[in-house]
Amino acid sequence: MTYHFSKTVDMPFDAAVSATTAALKSHGFGVLTQIDVKDTLNKKIGAKFRPYLILGACNPKLAYEALMLEDKIGTMLPCNVVVQQHEGGRVEISAVDPVASMSAIENQKLGAVAGKVRDLLRQVVAEIA
């Protein structure tokens, strides 16, 4: 089982970030955090890195449902979505597979919620043109 699903898109990095954020919103997710890895690595250790942004996405209804089933599930929230630029300008969008990341938790009801989130995140990634 892979821990993510990804798609490469033919668009500029900033446009891919905007498209990803819009697709997340259309499926009930908000972006709670945004980590600019390129900027952070440069500031903290002087490293040069490609454009790489981590979006911490949350669907409040499903997060609430998960928290009601498992009080420590917050250690795995929010769901991370990565937008990164590779050599040659290719941009890749990747989302965590919550079913894979929560597979160690023995709670069938939580697994069902994770499945709903996975389905939505797959749709988000698939919709980005």
Side-chain angles (χ1 to χ4, degrees):
M1 176 185 290
T2 183
Y3 64 94
H4 66 90
F5 29 92
S6 300
K7 177 180 184 178
T8 301
V9 296
D10 186 23
M11 63 176 63
F13 182 80
D14 290 337
V17 171
S18 294
T20 302
T21 303
L24 285 164
K25 184 177 180 180
S26 74
H27 289 283
F29 291 88
V31 176
L32 302 178
T33 60
Q34 186 169 312
I35 302 167
D36 184 335
V37 174
K38 175 184 175 181
D39 184 55
T40 300
L41 291 176
N42 186 35
K43 286 180 182 175
K44 299 292 183 182
I45 62 173
K48 300 297 180 204
F49 199 71
R50 66 188 177 277
Y52 191 110
L53 195 65
I54 302 171
L55 304 173
C58 179
N59 180 307
K61 289 181 182 180
L62 294 174
Y64 176 73
E65 194 174 331
L67 287 162
M68 296 306 294
L69 294 169
E70 195 74 40
D71 70 338
K72 297 185 188 48
I73 200 64
T75 61
M76 297 182 176
L77 300 177
C79 295
N80 285 334
V81 178
V82 172
V83 180
Q84 64 177 308
Q85 184 172 315
H86 293 285
E87 287 187 35
R90 295 182 349 249
V91 177
E92 181 181 37
I93 293 99
S94 303
V96 66
D97 181 345
V99 172
S101 65
M102 295 181 191
S103 64
I105 302 169
E106 295 178 10
N107 182 328
Q108 287 184 340
K109 290 180 182 178
L110 182 64
V113 175
K116 291 178 196 175
V117 176
R118 174 175 56 187
D119 292 345
L120 290 171
L121 288 174
R122 277 190 174 150
Q123 290 173 32
V124 165
V125 172
E127 287 176 12
I128 300 166

